[in-house]
Amino acid sequence: MSRRYDSRTTTFSPEGRLYQVEYAMEAIGNAGSAIGILSKDGVVLVGEKKVTSKLLQTSTSTEKMYKIDDHVACAVAGIMSDANILINTARVQAQRYTYAYQEPMPVEQLVQSLCDTKQGYTQFGGLRPFGVSFLFAGWDKNFGFQLYMSDPSGNYGGWKAAAIGANNQAAQSMLKQEYKDGITREEAVQVALKVLSRTMDSTSLTSDKLELAEVFLSAGKVKYQVCSPESLSEMLLKFGLTQPPAEAA
């Protein structure tokens, strides 16, 4: 039935569905998962790096976490080339706002602006939706710390905890059980790593398969920090999510 309606992004099926948008969401379902958790003193983002081949040289730069502005960062799941276009668009919009108003762009306004761009690609012929979902973490003076999730349709919403990418439904149901109001940043990191360890396709949790980033306040200023592999290994050991290295005989 869908074959009559899935050739154009602008055609609704009789059930009111846009199949091209749903196909884009399927593409995201095959990507490495990412989890965001809102705590009282910051926002935590954790992502799974999918190693597609042993021959592939692992990237020294982050591939799941991106800084948009001094007060906003995001985690990505989906087609990375699509994500790069949208991340650059968001960075330009944030800088234009700062240039015009001499203050950082409110987080939701930035998310809404980017989602308007994504929605446009579901509305005009000859285009396809962006095959990427985002988790936005940020802070502004009006609403403090915020976490937003957006999908290829241009929809977005504010969340206390959210998951995107592979096995996101299982991760989301686990987050419902594990999340508590008033959680601290360290507790949020522990919950995110615990959920990811149970929903990842990989059997063992190691620092080279993960990325962890945090947005928090330090000395009254917003700080974006990506956790180093060494610190990540220590956290996994501390929370009992990995085995200590065996001592050489």
Side-chain angles (χ1 to χ4, degrees):
M1 187 70 176
S2 70
R3 290 285 166 234
R4 293 167 53 193
Y5 302 101
D6 67 353
S7 60
R8 293 169 185 263
T9 54
T10 55
T11 306
F12 282 101
S13 74
E15 301 91 38
R17 292 161 66 179
L18 285 173
Y19 284 105
Q20 289 272 340
V21 172
E22 291 184 21
Y23 295 160
M25 291 180 180
E26 282 296 317
I28 294 161
N30 298 323
S33 53
I35 292 170
I37 298 180
L38 184 68
S39 69
K40 63 182 181 182
D41 55 345
V43 188
V44 173
L45 298 172
V46 182
E48 173 196 0
K49 288 197 282 190
K50 283 225 172 183
V51 181
T52 53
S53 171
K54 290 181 180 178
L55 301 176
L56 189 66
Q57 177 68 48
T58 52
S59 173
T60 52
S61 61
T62 57
E63 56 182 69
K64 298 288 287 184
M65 309 295 168
Y66 293 88
K67 182 178 179 180
I68 294 175
D69 201 354
D70 288 338
H71 66 303
V72 187
C74 69
V76 175
I79 302 169
M80 290 312 302
S81 52
D82 286 15
N84 288 334
I85 296 291
L86 290 169
I87 289 164
N88 285 337
T89 302
R91 285 170 174 166
V92 169
Q93 288 169 346
Q95 292 304 310
R96 281 177 177 163
Y97 187 96
T98 304
Y99 181 75
Y101 300 106
Q102 302 299 306
E103 66 176 22
M105 190 173 188
V107 180
E108 187 174 0
Q109 192 172 331
L110 177 58
V111 173
Q112 186 176 13
S113 176
L114 194 66
C115 286
D116 287 346
T117 303
K118 292 172 88 170
Q119 191 276 333
Y121 279 72
T122 70
Q123 192 173 349
F124 301 105
L127 306 171
R128 69 159 176 81
F130 287 99
V132 64
S133 277
F134 287 100
L135 289 172
F136 295 96
W139 181 92
D140 62 44
K141 62 183 181 182
N142 299 314
F143 299 107
F145 292 108
Q146 297 154 72
L147 174 69
Y148 294 95
M149 178 173 69
S150 81
D151 60 38
S153 66
N155 283 328
Y156 76 92
W159 291 76
K160 293 178 180 178
I164 54 175
N167 306 319
N168 65 309
Q169 293 294 332
Q172 200 74 44
S173 61
M174 279 189 66
L175 285 168
K176 281 182 185 175
Q177 298 169 357
E178 298 286 341
Y179 182 83
K180 297 179 181 66
D181 286 326
I183 195 170
T184 65
R185 205 167 80 241
E186 187 177 353
E187 289 169 341
V189 170
Q190 185 174 3
V191 168
L193 292 173
K194 182 180 176 184
V195 170
L196 204 57
S197 69
R198 294 185 183 177
T199 56
M200 271 173 65
D201 295 330
S202 179
T203 51
S204 61
L205 205 63
T206 56
S207 59
D208 59 337
K209 295 176 185 173
L210 294 174
E211 283 183 20
L212 169 65
E214 298 172 282
V215 177
F216 57 95
L217 286 178
S218 176
K221 290 187 177 181
V222 188
K223 189 174 181 182
Y224 166 70
Q225 180 175 290
V226 178
C227 190
S228 67
E230 294 79 19
S231 301
L232 202 46
S233 296
E234 288 174 12
M235 283 183 193
L236 292 171
L237 206 57
K238 178 183 175 183
F239 300 140
L241 297 171
T242 189
Q243 298 296 321
E247 292 184 11

